[in-house]
Amino acid sequence: MESSTSSTSPRPASPTPAPPSLETLVSNLVASKRSLSSVEQVWRANEIVESTKTNLEASVITSSRTSFLRSGIATQLRTLTLVYAHNSAVEREGAHEYGEVVKSLDAADRRLKDTMARLKTTMVENDLRPESDQEKSLLDFVDEGSVEQVLLTLQDSIGTADSALQELVETNRGFHDDLKRVERLIDSPEVRHNHSLADRLPQGSDLPTESVSPIPNILQDMEGRSRDMADNLESLVKHFDLCLMAIRHTEGGGDAAIRLTADLPDGAGMEEDVAGAPEPIGDKERQDMLDVIAQDADQVEEVVMEICDHVTAMESQLEIVTAHVTQLKEEESSVTAAFNVLEDIGCRLQAFVAQSQVFVMRWDDEKTKINERMDELSHLEDFYGGYLGAYDHLLVEIGRRQFMEQQMEKVLQDATRKLDVLHEEDRTRREAFKSDYGDFLPVDIWPGLTDPPLRFETRLRDGMARAPDLSKSIIQRAIRRVEGGAMM
């Protein structure tokens, strides 16, 4: 838009156009006056620039404070993560050892219960017990109370160890949750925020989107737009002054000038007093002024629209700035919350570290007790297993004794027959001796001369008992079990 009445290049000669009517000049002045309302947009642009400057200062302070806190928290978080890793290793090792102990205990318990079940189902042969005695199993001859006592002690130790492990697990889980909470709070959303900013920037904007803070570039762009708006407003004011001057130098236009300038917008000042008489100008100067007015009148609406476009763009940019500052404040709030959580963790850190040490001591103590009880359980298992095997050997021993008794009886029977033969031979010879020499020998020459032959008796000594009369099938089964156990 032209801003002066002078021309620097010669114009070709042409017929002088008819001067515009007063109505035309008044219409131009009205349109120009209406365009001066753009001063409000210019003021708004200045407010936006000042607000952006304030937001820039706030964002710098907030970002610096947030970055400082985040850096310190990240350092502390790495240290705390190492502490958590140590406690987790203690937990994993303890859980593994605990699991192995429980599996070993379960296996030993199953073996012992299986052995005791076999003792319970193995009935003592009736021939081994007095006739008045009731039927009994091998289990009736052992004290089950010792087994129950060992198992109860083991259950107590296992329960204590499990409680200690669960306490460590819960403590580690709580500590891990706190660390994850801190990580979530300090997890900066800047990447997502930058993407959202890029989506909201005006089409065709030259503003870089990779910067963490868009405010400096936006402020620079705003200031450029504000200067353009001020220049455009200045052009509109000069155009209005020319329109006003043209009316005042037109016959009958003085009253219209006074009336139309009565309610001008604040800030749209005029260069001359409309109430006084205008300074006279020449026809050539007046015509040049009218030519400029006619040329600029077509551009007034375009300039007004340009000012509106600038302020609209600046309003959008202010939304981006405000959103960014809000995001920074939210980040500061999250990081501050993370710092508060970190302070709480610090207050509990000593107890957390001590928890793993307490678990190790308690587990070592209970593990020693468990191992001792496991040894007792193993000894009981060996004893009851040996007891079960010894009973089979007892049956085999009874079978052996039966066989030996049978062999002894055969020897006795054979000896009895031989003694009977010798006795009869001795009796016959004694009778022959008596017949041949008895009449010649006096009776009192030897008191044993007339004694009968010796008679020997073979019988079981008093107080001795025979082996029980077990069937061969019972003894054979016992032999098979013994031989089967020896081959295993």
Side-chain angles (χ1 to χ4, degrees):
M1 177 181 289
E2 296 291 337
S3 60
S4 68
T5 59
S6 62
S7 175
T8 58
S9 59
R11 299 181 180 182
S14 60
T16 302
S21 64
L22 180 62
E23 290 77 7
T24 300
L25 294 176
V26 170
S27 176
N28 289 339
L29 183 61
V30 169
S32 179
K33 176 185 175 181
R34 189 166 53 246
S35 70
L36 295 183
S37 63
S38 298
V39 69
E40 296 179 0
Q41 278 83 1
V42 176
W43 288 342
R44 176 56 185 161
N46 290 333
E47 292 175 357
I48 291 174
V49 170
E50 292 303 318
S51 177
T52 302
K53 289 179 179 179
T54 301
N55 283 326
L56 177 60
E57 294 176 359
S59 69
V60 171
I61 295 173
T62 303
S63 294
S64 298
R65 185 163 51 237
T66 301
S67 297
F68 175 77
L69 279 177
R70 181 183 284 113
S71 176
I73 292 173
T75 300
Q76 294 299 320
L77 195 59
R78 285 192 293 270
T79 302
L80 292 175
T81 301
L82 293 177
V83 175
Y84 169 73
H86 172 267
N87 271 29
S88 296
V90 173
E91 176 191 333
R92 286 193 302 272
E93 182 178 355
H96 176 72
E97 291 183 356
Y98 174 79
E100 292 299 318
V101 166
V102 170
K103 285 194 292 186
S104 298
L105 176 60
D106 289 341
D109 182 60
R110 284 193 301 270
R111 291 193 303 269
L112 180 59
K113 288 182 177 179
D114 179 65
T115 301
M116 296 184 70
R118 291 170 61 192
L119 291 176
K120 187 174 183 179
T121 57
T122 302
M123 308 306 296
V124 178
E125 297 298 332
N126 293 331
D127 292 333
L128 303 183
R129 304 294 301 159
E131 293 182 1
S132 61
D133 200 358
Q134 62 181 358
E135 190 176 34
K136 290 185 178 182
S137 69
L138 293 180
L139 188 61
D140 294 326
F141 295 91
V142 298
D143 181 17
E144 297 182 68
S146 59
V147 177
E148 294 176 355
Q149 183 62 40
V150 171
L151 291 178
L152 287 175
T153 305
L154 279 171
Q155 289 176 359
D156 290 341
S157 295
I158 289 295
T160 302
D162 182 67
S163 298
L165 179 60
Q166 292 306 316
E167 289 177 7
L168 179 61
V169 170
E170 291 298 326
T171 301
N172 284 354
R173 182 181 295 117
F175 194 79
H176 177 265
D177 291 342
D178 286 341
L179 294 183
K180 286 300 180 183
R181 182 182 174 193
V182 173
E183 289 178 356
R184 287 193 298 269
L185 288 172
I186 67 171
D187 181 20
S188 174
E190 291 171 351
V191 175
R192 296 191 304 274
H193 185 50
N194 283 337
H195 283 312
S196 65
L197 288 175
D199 294 338
R200 296 173 59 184
L201 287 174
Q203 291 289 337
S205 174
D206 294 333
L207 295 178
T209 60
E210 69 278 1
S211 175
V212 172
S213 174
I215 299 180
N217 291 329
I218 288 179
L219 179 60
Q220 183 179 1
D221 184 74
M222 283 182 173
E223 290 175 339
R225 291 178 183 273
S226 181
R227 286 192 295 270
D228 289 344
M229 293 171 67
D231 292 341
N232 288 337
L233 180 62
E234 182 180 1
S235 298
L236 292 176
V237 171
K238 289 181 178 180
H239 176 68
F240 177 81
D241 289 342
L242 286 178
C243 291
L244 182 61
M245 184 182 297
I247 289 179
R248 294 182 65 199
H249 286 83
T250 301
E251 184 178 355
D255 293 337
I258 294 174
R259 186 174 65 254
L260 290 174
T261 57
D263 56 349
L264 288 176
D266 294 339
M270 296 177 295
E271 295 181 357
E272 55 182 307
D273 183 10
V274 297
E279 295 181 1
I281 59 174
D283 292 340
K284 177 68 169 62
E285 186 179 356
R286 183 174 184 276
Q287 185 59 49
D288 290 342
M289 179 178 64
L290 293 176
D291 291 342
V292 171
I293 291 173
Q295 180 180 352
D296 290 349
D298 296 334
Q299 302 179 21
V300 169
E301 188 65 26
E302 180 180 348
V303 172
V304 172
M305 289 300 298
E306 184 177 346
I307 292 175
C308 291
D309 290 343
H310 277 313
V311 78
T312 299
M314 292 175 70
E315 293 284 3
S316 298
Q317 291 174 331
L318 181 60
E319 291 180 4
I320 297 174
V321 170
T322 303
H324 179 71
V325 173
T326 300
Q327 177 69 25
L328 291 178
K329 291 180 179 179
E330 290 175 355
E331 288 183 30
E332 181 187 26
S333 177
S334 296
V335 173
T336 301
F339 179 77
N340 293 335
V341 174
L342 203 62
E343 279 190 323
D344 182 62
I345 293 175
C347 295
R348 295 182 286 109
L349 181 59
Q350 186 175 1
F352 175 72
V353 174
Q355 183 65 46
S356 65
Q357 299 172 346
V358 170
F359 168 76
V360 170
M361 289 187 295
R362 291 178 63 184
W363 172 235
D364 287 343
D365 183 46
E366 295 304 324
K367 185 165 55 175
T368 300
K369 296 179 181 178
I370 291 172
N371 289 334
E372 291 175 353
R373 301 292 87 77
M374 287 283 287
D375 290 341
E376 293 182 18
L377 203 63
S378 178
H379 292 157
L380 287 173
E381 179 190 351
D382 293 340
F383 173 77
Y384 291 141
Y387 172 40
L388 186 63
Y391 178 69
D392 287 332
H393 281 280
L394 173 61
L395 297 179
V396 174
E397 174 64 16
I398 291 174
R400 185 194 66 80
R401 293 185 183 186
Q402 286 180 339
F403 175 75
M404 295 305 296
E405 289 178 2
Q406 292 171 0
Q407 296 301 310
M408 289 180 185
E409 289 176 350
K410 289 181 180 180
V411 171
L412 288 175
Q413 291 173 1
D414 184 58
T416 300
R417 286 194 301 269
K418 291 180 178 180
L419 287 174
D420 288 343
V421 171
L422 292 174
H423 181 273
E424 182 61 27
E425 181 181 353
D426 186 27
R427 186 189 65 78
T428 302
R429 286 180 176 272
R430 287 186 183 214
E431 289 294 332
F433 178 80
K434 182 179 180 182
S435 176
D436 293 339
Y437 305 104
D439 292 338
F440 300 102
L441 294 173
V443 176
D444 57 354
I445 195 171
W446 174 42
L449 179 62
T450 59
D451 288 345
L454 295 179
R455 174 66 69 178
F456 291 91
E457 293 183 358
T458 57
R459 62 183 179 82
L460 187 64
R461 182 180 296 178
D462 293 340
M464 303 294 291
R466 290 180 176 273
D469 187 17
L470 298 180
S471 66
K472 290 184 178 180
S473 60
I474 293 176
I475 296 174
Q476 289 299 322
R477 286 195 296 269
I479 291 174
R480 286 195 295 268
R481 288 194 295 269
V482 169
E483 292 176 347
M487 291 187 296
M488 292 179 61

